[in-house]
Amino acid sequence: MATELVSLQGRARIHAALGDPARLAIVDALTLGDASPGEIASDLGMPTNLVAHHVKVLTEAGLVVRGRSEGDRRRTYLRLRPAALATLTPSPLARVGRVVFVCTRNSARSQLAAAIWSDRTHTSAASAGTKPADRVHPRAVAVAQRHGLELNPTGTSHVADIVRDDDLVIAVCDNAHEELTGPVRPRLHWSVPDPVRLDTDAAFEAAFADLAARVERVAPVVTPAMSSGDRHD
């Protein structure tokens, strides 16, 4: 917990440093290449004393480092530390054996989420329901096909038959998140509106887009316990 607190404090300092438009402009410039304070002042049209102040804040936040020129040793160049920007993402979810998406009927959102996850990450994913339907909703099958994915129309399952101890369980509906309070408990909750309520192509497209965006955000911070090739489902 102490290490996590330090990490949060460090990230907060970086966010605070980036909260000023002038400092953000300096970071943008240094993303493309190194520059001296004088060059930054000239390129951005800022007084040199103001640049010095902003560079001090960025340096203290760990975003920028200084280095002496190998030519004119009186000159210093500013260099961005990309690793510091990388720390702005949430802490990794480590040692995840598999990702399992859960909703009530296992007929739409959880099925789509698992298909998207497998497609984007090239790792196995599963889905289940608290009260699974007999079949996957036809509109879910159709929207998956429109995006180049396939769903098994009869492949619904109950959470008790699917979830394992090392799975990362993600509830993609409010009902499943609130119902699962026992041993099988979602670690993450995505409050995705149920497209079946409207039962239109537009509703299913909206659910697909919502799930795809969430997968893009979460997948980079999930660290698998072992490679997908080491597991047998």
Side-chain angles (χ1 to χ4, degrees):
M1 181 64 70
T3 302
E4 182 178 349
L5 181 60
V6 171
S7 174
L8 287 173
Q9 290 173 341
R11 288 166 60 196
R13 282 195 297 271
I14 293 172
H15 278 290
L18 294 174
D20 184 281
R23 290 196 286 272
L24 187 57
I26 293 172
V27 168
D28 284 347
L30 295 178
T31 299
L32 304 177
D34 305 339
S36 69
E39 290 169 336
I40 289 290
S42 176
D43 291 343
L44 299 182
M46 281 193 270
T48 54
N49 63 331
L50 188 57
V51 169
H53 165 71
H54 289 314
V55 167
K56 181 176 183 290
V57 173
L58 293 170
T59 302
E60 291 175 347
L63 282 162
V64 170
V65 293
R66 294 173 177 266
R68 289 287 178 184
S69 167
E70 292 182 351
D72 185 346
R73 299 294 293 174
R74 296 169 298 179
R75 181 186 292 256
T76 62
Y77 288 109
L78 305 173
R79 184 174 72 252
L80 184 68
R81 294 184 64 248
L85 291 175
T87 64
L88 295 179
T89 59
S91 301
L93 299 173
R95 298 184 296 279
V96 173
R98 182 183 56 165
V99 178
V100 178
F101 296 94
V102 177
C103 65
T104 305
R105 303 288 282 165
N106 190 214
S107 65
R109 289 165 290 181
S110 56
Q111 294 278 353
L112 291 170
I116 296 167
W117 185 277
S118 295
D119 179 67
R120 301 291 197 273
T121 68
H122 306 291
T123 60
S124 64
S127 68
T130 56
K131 302 177 181 68
D134 294 331
R135 297 178 62 84
V136 178
H137 196 287
R139 290 190 191 276
V141 175
V143 74
Q145 290 177 341
R146 287 197 293 272
H147 291 273
L149 306 177
E150 292 187 8
L151 299 182
N152 178 0
T154 61
T156 61
S157 303
H158 192 278
V159 290
D161 300 323
I162 296 296
V163 176
R164 304 186 298 226
D165 290 342
D166 60 348
D167 288 336
L168 170 62
V169 178
I170 302 178
V172 292
C173 83
D174 299 340
N175 287 327
H177 175 65
E178 293 162 10
E179 289 174 13
L180 294 172
T181 58
V184 177
R185 187 164 188 166
R187 188 169 175 185
L188 298 177
H189 173 213
W190 296 354
S191 185
V192 180
D194 185 3
V196 177
R197 291 181 183 275
L198 296 177
D199 200 13
T200 63
D201 286 345
F204 277 82
E205 285 288 353
F208 187 96
D210 190 351
L211 292 165
R214 291 172 184 269
V215 167
E216 293 292 342
R217 293 200 299 271
V218 173
V221 302
V222 172
T223 304
M226 56 185 72
S227 65
S228 58
D230 293 334
R231 300 190 64 86
H232 301 282
D233 297 323

